[in-house]
Amino acid sequence: MGRWEPDAAGRLREAAMALYAERGYDGTTVAEIADRAGVTARTFFRHFADKREVLFAGSELLERHMVEALAAAPADATPMEAVTAAVLATAEFFDDIRRDYSRRRAAVITSTPELRERELIKMATLTASLTDGLLERGVAPDVAALAAETGVAVFRVSFERWIAAPDDVPIADVIQATLKNLAALTA
């Protein structure tokens, strides 16, 4: 496969996932990923800072999508209603193709402490962004932080349930079920 083949980033992601499954994250090098994808290591570094970022690229898009949904919530929405809008907006971000990738990605992350730490950092960054969005809406800091933390917990639990669910279960349904569970807990 030549360098001019389209979607180098996608090929690199797939090559990395295959190698991580075969050899483990720690047993895989950037050079091996690039070789499997049919590109040079230099091309790899044009797309990703390191082999870890292959798994986390796109996180900023999801975060931006959620923050935009939070900002677009009606002005009279409660803090939790605004956060719920942000969490529900993630359903637009994930589809059946991403479910398979998400399952494989989760397996790699779960098996590697360094990657679990990076995932926690990603969730903390998302929480901070949602908190900032709520503060911009005039929500008190303590309420904004609690609502954002709760929203990220709902997202995380829903996402984990979705990747474990049968393929015909949409993520929106899983999020709604998780929100119902939360409502039952706080009733």
Side-chain angles (χ1 to χ4, degrees):
M1 188 174 301
R3 289 186 325 201
W4 55 88
E5 291 291 326
D7 194 22
R11 291 194 332 265
L12 286 162
R13 270 192 294 279
E14 284 305 314
M17 291 303 292
L19 287 165
Y20 295 160
E22 291 169 20
R23 302 178 186 168
Y25 173 80
D26 291 327
T28 302
T29 67
V30 167
E32 291 167 331
I33 296 168
D35 186 56
R36 174 83 56 105
V39 300
T40 64
R42 184 175 173 153
T43 299
F44 177 95
F45 288 114
R46 276 192 217 124
H47 294 280
F48 304 105
D50 56 36
K51 69 179 188 173
R52 180 182 59 179
E53 289 308 308
V54 171
L55 297 166
F56 295 98
S59 298
E60 64 284 348
L61 297 174
L62 176 63
E63 180 181 327
R64 184 170 48 241
H65 189 72
M66 291 179 76
V67 169
E68 288 171 358
L70 182 130
D76 63 345
T78 66
M80 202 58 218
E81 288 169 344
V83 167
T84 296
V87 174
L88 286 169
T90 64
E92 302 163 10
F93 199 79
F94 295 100
D95 56 26
D96 291 335
I97 295 168
R98 286 197 173 141
R99 186 190 313 239
D100 178 59
Y101 180 83
S102 295
R103 285 175 175 150
R104 294 183 292 144
R105 178 185 175 275
V108 173
I109 290 171
T110 300
S111 68
T112 311
E114 172 189 349
L115 299 176
R116 287 194 308 266
E117 179 181 9
R118 175 65 176 89
E119 183 79 350
L120 290 172
I121 291 168
K122 182 180 97 170
M123 290 297 129
T125 301
L126 178 57
T127 300
S129 293
L130 292 175
T131 300
D132 290 346
L134 289 168
L135 292 172
E136 289 175 15
R137 292 173 66 91
V139 176
D142 58 334
V143 174
L146 180 59
E149 288 280 357
T150 303
V152 170
V154 167
F155 168 72
R156 200 179 74 250
V157 168
S158 298
F159 187 81
E160 290 170 5
R161 288 182 56 211
W162 175 68
I163 62 174
D167 287 344
D168 62 340
V169 178
I171 193 169
D173 292 355
V174 177
I175 293 169
Q176 290 289 1
T178 304
L179 288 165
K180 284 182 186 174
N181 290 340
L182 175 64
L185 283 172
T186 58

Coordinates of all heavy atoms in Angstrom, one line a residue, residues 97-168:
I97 N -20.6 1.2 13.7 CA -19.2 1.0 13.4 C -18.3 1.3 14.6 O -17.3 0.6 14.8 CB -18.8 1.9 12.2 CG1 -19.6 1.4 10.9 CG2 -17.3 1.9 11.9 CD1 -19.6 2.4 9.8
R98 N -18.6 2.4 15.2 CA -17.8 2.8 16.4 C -18.0 1.8 17.6 O -17.1 1.7 18.4 CB -18.2 4.2 16.8 CG -17.6 5.2 15.9 CD -17.6 6.6 16.5 NE -16.9 7.5 15.6 CZ -17.3 8.8 15.4 NH1 -18.4 9.2 16.0 NH2 -16.7 9.5 14.6
R99 N -19.1 1.1 17.6 CA -19.3 0.1 18.7 C -18.2 -0.9 18.7 O -17.6 -1.2 19.7 CB -20.6 -0.5 18.7 CG -20.9 -1.4 19.9 CD -22.1 -2.2 19.9 NE -23.3 -1.6 19.4 CZ -24.4 -1.5 20.2 NH1 -24.5 -2.0 21.4 NH2 -25.4 -0.9 19.7
D100 N -17.9 -1.5 17.5 CA -16.9 -2.6 17.4 C -15.5 -2.0 17.8 O -14.8 -2.6 18.6 CB -16.9 -3.2 16.0 CG -15.8 -4.2 15.9 OD1 -15.8 -5.2 16.6 OD2 -14.9 -4.0 15.0
Y101 N -15.2 -0.8 17.3 CA -13.9 -0.2 17.6 C -13.9 0.1 19.1 O -12.9 -0.1 19.7 CB -13.8 1.1 16.8 CG -12.5 1.8 17.1 CD1 -11.3 1.4 16.4 CD2 -12.4 2.8 18.0 CE1 -10.1 2.0 16.7 CE2 -11.2 3.5 18.3 CZ -10.0 3.0 17.6 OH -8.9 3.7 18.0
S102 N -15.0 0.6 19.6 CA -15.0 1.0 21.0 C -14.8 -0.2 21.9 O -14.2 -0.1 23.0 CB -16.4 1.6 21.4 OG -16.5 2.9 20.7
R103 N -15.4 -1.4 21.5 CA -15.2 -2.6 22.3 C -13.7 -3.0 22.3 O -13.1 -3.3 23.4 CB -16.0 -3.7 21.7 CG -17.4 -3.7 22.0 CD -18.2 -4.7 21.3 NE -19.6 -4.7 21.7 CZ -20.6 -5.1 20.9 NH1 -20.4 -5.6 19.7 NH2 -21.8 -5.0 21.3
R104 N -13.1 -2.9 21.1 CA -11.6 -3.3 21.1 C -10.8 -2.3 21.8 O -9.9 -2.7 22.5 CB -11.2 -3.4 19.6 CG -11.9 -4.6 18.9 CD -11.4 -4.7 17.4 NE -11.9 -3.6 16.6 CZ -11.2 -3.1 15.6 NH1 -10.0 -3.5 15.3 NH2 -11.7 -2.0 14.9
R105 N -11.1 -1.0 21.7 CA -10.4 0.0 22.4 C -10.5 -0.2 23.9 O -9.5 -0.1 24.6 CB -11.0 1.4 22.0 CG -10.3 2.6 22.7 CD -11.1 3.8 22.2 NE -10.6 5.0 23.0 CZ -11.0 5.3 24.2 NH1 -12.0 4.6 24.8 NH2 -10.5 6.4 24.8
A106 N -11.7 -0.5 24.4 CA -11.9 -0.6 25.8 C -11.1 -1.8 26.3 O -10.5 -1.7 27.4 CB -13.4 -0.9 26.1
A107 N -11.0 -2.9 25.6 CA -10.2 -4.0 26.0 C -8.7 -3.7 26.1 O -8.0 -4.1 27.1 CB -10.3 -5.2 25.0
V108 N -8.2 -2.9 25.2 CA -6.8 -2.4 25.3 C -6.6 -1.5 26.5 O -5.6 -1.7 27.3 CB -6.4 -1.7 24.0 CG1 -5.0 -1.1 24.1 CG2 -6.4 -2.7 22.8
I109 N -7.5 -0.6 26.7 CA -7.3 0.4 27.8 C -7.4 -0.3 29.1 O -6.6 -0.1 30.0 CB -8.4 1.5 27.7 CG1 -8.0 2.4 26.5 CG2 -8.5 2.3 29.0 CD1 -9.1 3.4 26.1
T110 N -8.4 -1.2 29.3 CA -8.6 -2.0 30.5 C -7.3 -2.8 30.9 O -7.0 -2.9 32.1 CB -9.8 -2.9 30.4 OG1 -10.9 -2.1 30.1 CG2 -10.0 -3.7 31.7
S111 N -6.6 -3.3 29.9 CA -5.5 -4.1 30.2 C -4.2 -3.4 30.4 O -3.1 -4.0 30.7 CB -5.3 -5.1 29.0 OG -4.8 -4.4 27.9
T112 N -4.2 -2.0 30.4 CA -3.0 -1.3 30.5 C -3.1 -0.1 31.5 O -3.9 0.8 31.2 CB -2.6 -0.7 29.1 OG1 -2.6 -1.8 28.1 CG2 -1.2 -0.1 29.1
P113 N -2.4 -0.2 32.6 CA -2.6 0.9 33.6 C -2.3 2.3 33.0 O -3.1 3.2 33.4 CB -1.5 0.5 34.7 CG -1.4 -0.9 34.5 CD -1.5 -1.2 33.1
E114 N -1.3 2.5 32.2 CA -1.0 3.8 31.6 C -2.2 4.3 30.8 O -2.6 5.5 30.9 CB 0.2 3.7 30.7 CG 0.5 4.9 29.9 CD 1.6 4.7 28.8 OE1 2.2 3.7 28.9 OE2 1.7 5.6 28.0
L115 N -2.9 3.5 30.1 CA -4.1 3.9 29.3 C -5.3 4.1 30.2 O -6.1 5.0 29.9 CB -4.4 2.8 28.3 CG -3.2 2.6 27.3 CD1 -3.6 1.5 26.3 CD2 -2.9 3.9 26.5
R116 N -5.4 3.3 31.3 CA -6.5 3.6 32.2 C -6.4 5.0 32.8 O -7.3 5.7 33.0 CB -6.6 2.5 33.3 CG -7.1 1.2 32.8 CD -7.5 0.3 33.9 NE -6.5 0.1 34.9 CZ -5.6 -0.9 35.0 NH1 -5.6 -1.8 34.0 NH2 -4.7 -1.0 35.9
E117 N -5.1 5.3 33.1 CA -4.9 6.7 33.7 C -5.2 7.8 32.7 O -5.9 8.8 33.0 CB -3.4 6.8 34.1 CG -3.0 8.2 34.6 CD -1.5 8.3 35.0 OE1 -0.8 7.3 34.6 OE2 -1.2 9.3 35.6
R118 N -4.9 7.6 31.4 CA -5.2 8.5 30.3 C -6.7 8.7 30.1 O -7.2 9.8 29.9 CB -4.5 8.1 29.0 CG -4.8 8.9 27.8 CD -4.3 10.4 28.0 NE -4.5 11.2 26.8 CZ -5.6 11.9 26.6 NH1 -6.6 11.9 27.5 NH2 -5.8 12.6 25.5
E119 N -7.4 7.6 30.3 CA -8.9 7.6 30.2 C -9.5 8.4 31.3 O -10.4 9.2 31.1 CB -9.4 6.2 30.1 CG -10.9 6.1 29.9 CD -11.4 6.3 28.5 OE1 -10.5 6.6 27.6 OE2 -12.6 6.1 28.3
L120 N -8.9 8.2 32.5 CA -9.4 9.0 33.6 C -9.1 10.5 33.4 O -10.0 11.4 33.8 CB -8.8 8.5 34.9 CG -9.2 7.2 35.4 CD1 -8.4 6.7 36.6 CD2 -10.7 7.2 35.8
I121 N -8.0 10.8 32.9 CA -7.6 12.2 32.6 C -8.6 12.8 31.5 O -9.1 13.9 31.7 CB -6.2 12.4 32.1 CG1 -5.2 12.1 33.2 CG2 -5.9 13.7 31.5 CD1 -3.8 11.9 32.8
K122 N -9.0 12.0 30.5 CA -9.9 12.4 29.5 C -11.3 12.7 30.2 O -11.9 13.7 29.9 CB -10.1 11.3 28.5 CG -11.0 11.6 27.4 CD -11.1 10.5 26.4 CE -12.3 9.7 26.7 NZ -12.7 8.7 25.7
M123 N -11.7 11.9 31.1 CA -13.0 12.1 31.8 C -12.9 13.3 32.7 O -13.9 14.1 32.7 CB -13.4 10.9 32.6 CG -13.8 9.6 31.8 SD -15.3 10.0 30.8 CE -14.7 9.4 29.2
A124 N -11.8 13.6 33.3 CA -11.7 14.8 34.2 C -11.7 16.0 33.3 O -12.3 17.0 33.7 CB -10.3 14.7 34.9
T125 N -11.1 16.0 32.1 CA -11.1 17.1 31.2 C -12.5 17.4 30.7 O -13.0 18.5 30.7 CB -10.2 16.8 30.0 OG1 -8.8 16.6 30.5 CG2 -10.2 18.0 29.0
L126 N -13.2 16.3 30.4 CA -14.6 16.5 30.0 C -15.5 17.1 31.1 O -16.3 18.0 30.9 CB -15.2 15.1 29.6 CG -16.7 15.1 29.2 CD1 -16.9 16.0 28.0 CD2 -17.0 13.6 28.8
T127 N -15.2 16.6 32.4 CA -16.0 17.2 33.5 C -15.7 18.7 33.7 O -16.6 19.5 33.9 CB -15.6 16.4 34.8 OG1 -15.9 15.0 34.6 CG2 -16.3 17.0 36.0
A128 N -14.4 19.0 33.5 CA -14.0 20.5 33.7 C -14.7 21.3 32.6 O -15.2 22.4 32.8 CB -12.5 20.6 33.6
S129 N -14.7 20.8 31.4 CA -15.4 21.5 30.3 C -16.9 21.7 30.5 O -17.4 22.8 30.2 CB -15.1 20.8 28.9 OG -13.8 20.9 28.6
L130 N -17.5 20.7 31.0 CA -19.0 20.8 31.2 C -19.2 21.7 32.4 O -20.2 22.5 32.4 CB -19.6 19.4 31.5 CG -19.6 18.5 30.3 CD1 -20.1 17.1 30.7 CD2 -20.5 19.0 29.2
T131 N -18.3 21.6 33.4 CA -18.4 22.6 34.5 C -18.3 24.0 34.1 O -19.1 24.9 34.4 CB -17.4 22.3 35.6 OG1 -17.5 20.9 36.1 CG2 -17.5 23.2 36.8
D132 N -17.3 24.3 33.2 CA -17.1 25.6 32.7 C -18.4 26.1 31.9 O -18.8 27.2 32.0 CB -15.9 25.7 31.8 CG -14.6 25.6 32.5 OD1 -14.6 25.7 33.8 OD2 -13.6 25.3 31.9
G133 N -18.9 25.1 31.1 CA -20.2 25.5 30.3 C -21.3 25.8 31.2 O -22.1 26.7 30.9
L134 N -21.4 25.1 32.3 CA -22.5 25.4 33.3 C -22.2 26.8 34.0 O -23.2 27.6 34.2 CB -22.7 24.3 34.3 CG -23.3 23.0 33.8 CD1 -23.1 21.9 34.8 CD2 -24.7 23.2 33.4
L135 N -21.0 27.0 34.3 CA -20.7 28.3 34.9 C -21.0 29.5 34.0 O -21.5 30.5 34.4 CB -19.2 28.4 35.3 CG -18.7 27.4 36.4 CD1 -17.2 27.4 36.6 CD2 -19.4 27.8 37.8
E136 N -20.8 29.3 32.7 CA -21.1 30.3 31.7 C -22.6 30.5 31.6 O -23.1 31.6 31.3 CB -20.6 29.9 30.3 CG -19.1 30.0 30.2 CD -18.6 29.5 28.9 OE1 -19.4 29.4 27.9 OE2 -17.4 29.3 28.8
R137 N -23.4 29.5 32.0 CA -24.9 29.6 32.1 C -25.3 30.3 33.4 O -26.5 30.4 33.6 CB -25.5 28.3 31.9 CG -25.3 27.6 30.5 CD -25.8 26.2 30.5 NE -27.3 26.1 30.6 CZ -28.1 26.1 29.6 NH1 -27.7 26.2 28.4 NH2 -29.4 26.0 29.9
G138 N -24.4 30.6 34.3 CA -24.7 31.3 35.5 C -25.0 30.3 36.7 O -25.5 30.7 37.7
V139 N -24.6 29.1 36.5 CA -24.9 28.1 37.6 C -23.8 28.3 38.7 O -22.6 28.5 38.4 CB -24.8 26.6 37.0 CG1 -24.9 25.6 38.1 CG2 -25.9 26.5 35.9
A140 N -24.2 28.2 39.9 CA -23.3 28.3 41.0 C -22.2 27.2 40.9 O -22.4 26.1 40.5 CB -24.0 28.1 42.4
P141 N -20.9 27.6 41.3 CA -19.8 26.6 41.1 C -20.0 25.2 41.7 O -19.7 24.3 41.0 CB -18.6 27.4 41.8 CG -19.0 28.8 41.7 CD -20.5 28.9 41.8
D142 N -20.5 25.2 42.9 CA -20.7 23.8 43.5 C -21.7 23.0 42.8 O -21.6 21.8 42.6 CB -21.0 23.9 45.0 CG -22.2 24.7 45.3 OD1 -22.6 25.6 44.5 OD2 -22.8 24.5 46.4
V143 N -22.8 23.6 42.4 CA -23.8 22.9 41.6 C -23.3 22.6 40.2 O -23.6 21.4 39.7 CB -25.1 23.8 41.5 CG1 -26.2 23.2 40.6 CG2 -25.7 24.1 42.9
A144 N -22.6 23.4 39.6 CA -22.0 23.2 38.3 C -21.1 22.0 38.3 O -21.2 21.1 37.5 CB -21.3 24.4 37.7
A145 N -20.2 21.9 39.3 CA -19.3 20.8 39.5 C -20.0 19.5 39.7 O -19.7 18.5 39.1 CB -18.3 21.1 40.6
L146 N -21.0 19.5 40.6 CA -21.8 18.3 40.9 C -22.6 17.8 39.6 O -22.6 16.6 39.3 CB -22.8 18.5 42.0 CG -23.6 17.3 42.5 CD1 -22.7 16.2 42.8 CD2 -24.5 17.7 43.6
A147 N -23.2 18.7 38.9 CA -24.0 18.3 37.7 C -23.0 17.8 36.7 O -23.4 16.8 36.0 CB -24.8 19.5 37.2
A148 N -21.9 18.4 36.5 CA -21.0 17.9 35.4 C -20.4 16.6 35.8 O -20.3 15.7 35.0 CB -19.8 18.9 35.3
E149 N -20.0 16.4 37.1 CA -19.5 15.1 37.5 C -20.6 14.0 37.3 O -20.3 12.9 36.9 CB -19.1 15.1 39.0 CG -17.9 15.9 39.3 CD -16.6 15.1 39.0 OE1 -16.6 13.9 38.7 OE2 -15.5 15.7 39.2
T150 N -21.8 14.3 37.6 CA -22.9 13.4 37.5 C -23.1 13.0 36.0 O -23.3 11.9 35.7 CB -24.2 13.9 38.1 OG1 -24.0 14.3 39.5 CG2 -25.4 12.9 38.0
G151 N -23.1 14.0 35.2 CA -23.3 13.8 33.7 C -22.2 12.9 33.2 O -22.5 12.0 32.4
V152 N -21.0 13.2 33.6 CA -19.9 12.3 33.1 C -20.0 10.9 33.6 O -19.7 9.9 32.9 CB -18.5 13.0 33.4 CG1 -17.3 12.0 33.1 CG2 -18.3 14.3 32.6
A153 N -20.4 10.8 34.8 CA -20.7 9.4 35.4 C -21.7 8.7 34.5 O -21.6 7.5 34.2 CB -21.0 9.5 36.8
V154 N -22.8 9.4 34.2 CA -23.9 8.8 33.4 C -23.3 8.4 32.0 O -23.6 7.3 31.5 CB -25.1 9.8 33.3 CG1 -26.0 9.3 32.2 CG2 -25.8 9.9 34.6
F155 N -22.6 9.3 31.4 CA -22.0 9.0 30.1 C -21.1 7.7 30.2 O -21.2 6.8 29.4 CB -21.1 10.2 29.6 CG -20.3 9.8 28.4 CD1 -20.9 9.5 27.2 CD2 -18.9 9.7 28.6 CE1 -20.1 9.2 26.1 CE2 -18.1 9.3 27.5 CZ -18.7 9.0 26.3
R156 N -20.2 7.7 31.2 CA -19.2 6.6 31.4 C -19.9 5.3 31.6 O -19.6 4.3 31.0 CB -18.2 6.9 32.5 CG -17.0 6.1 32.4 CD -16.0 6.5 33.5 NE -16.4 5.9 34.8 CZ -16.9 6.6 35.8 NH1 -17.0 7.9 35.8 NH2 -17.3 6.0 36.9
V157 N -20.9 5.3 32.5 CA -21.7 4.0 32.8 C -22.4 3.6 31.5 O -22.4 2.4 31.2 CB -22.6 4.2 34.0 CG1 -23.6 3.1 34.1 CG2 -21.8 4.4 35.3
S158 N -23.1 4.5 30.9 CA -23.8 4.2 29.7 C -22.9 3.7 28.6 O -23.3 2.7 27.9 CB -24.5 5.5 29.1 OG -25.5 6.0 30.1
F159 N -21.8 4.3 28.4 CA -20.9 3.8 27.3 C -20.4 2.4 27.6 O -20.4 1.6 26.7 CB -19.7 4.8 27.2 CG -18.8 4.5 26.1 CD1 -19.1 4.9 24.8 CD2 -17.6 3.8 26.3 CE1 -18.3 4.6 23.7 CE2 -16.8 3.5 25.2 CZ -17.1 3.9 24.0
E160 N -20.0 2.1 28.9 CA -19.6 0.8 29.2 C -20.7 -0.2 29.0 O -20.5 -1.3 28.5 CB -19.1 0.8 30.7 CG -17.8 1.5 30.8 CD -17.4 1.7 32.3 OE1 -18.1 1.2 33.2 OE2 -16.4 2.4 32.5
R161 N -21.9 0.1 29.4 CA -23.1 -0.8 29.1 C -23.4 -0.9 27.7 O -23.7 -2.0 27.2 CB -24.3 -0.2 29.8 CG -24.2 -0.3 31.4 CD -25.5 0.2 32.1 NE -26.7 -0.5 31.6 CZ -27.9 0.1 31.5 NH1 -28.1 1.3 31.9 NH2 -28.9 -0.6 31.1
W162 N -23.2 0.1 26.9 CA -23.5 0.1 25.4 C -22.5 -0.9 24.7 O -22.9 -1.7 23.9 CB -23.4 1.5 24.8 CG -23.5 1.5 23.3 CD1 -24.6 1.2 22.6 CD2 -22.5 1.9 22.4 NE1 -24.4 1.4 21.3 CE2 -23.1 1.8 21.1 CE3 -21.2 2.3 22.5 CZ2 -22.4 2.1 20.0 CZ3 -20.5 2.7 21.4 CH2 -21.1 2.6 20.1
I163 N -21.2 -0.8 25.1 CA -20.3 -1.7 24.4 C -20.4 -3.1 24.8 O -20.0 -4.0 24.1 CB -18.8 -1.2 24.5 CG1 -18.3 -1.2 25.9 CG2 -18.6 0.1 23.8 CD1 -16.8 -0.9 26.1
A164 N -21.1 -3.4 26.0 CA -21.3 -4.7 26.4 C -22.7 -5.2 25.9 O -22.9 -6.4 26.0 CB -21.3 -4.8 27.9
A165 N -23.5 -4.3 25.4 CA -24.9 -4.7 25.0 C -24.9 -5.4 23.6 O -23.9 -5.3 22.8 CB -25.7 -3.4 24.9
P166 N -26.0 -6.1 23.3 CA -26.1 -6.6 22.0 C -26.0 -5.5 20.9 O -26.4 -4.4 21.2 CB -27.5 -7.3 22.0 CG -27.7 -7.6 23.4 CD -27.1 -6.5 24.2
D167 N -25.7 -5.9 19.7 CA -25.4 -4.9 18.7 C -26.7 -4.1 18.3 O -26.6 -3.0 17.7 CB -24.9 -5.6 17.4 CG -23.4 -6.0 17.6 OD1 -22.8 -5.5 18.5 OD2 -23.0 -6.8 16.8
D168 N -27.9 -4.6 18.6 CA -29.1 -3.9 18.2 C -29.6 -2.9 19.2 O -30.7 -2.3 19.0 CB -30.2 -4.9 17.8 CG -30.6 -5.8 19.0 OD1 -29.9 -5.9 20.0 OD2 -31.7 -6.3 18.9

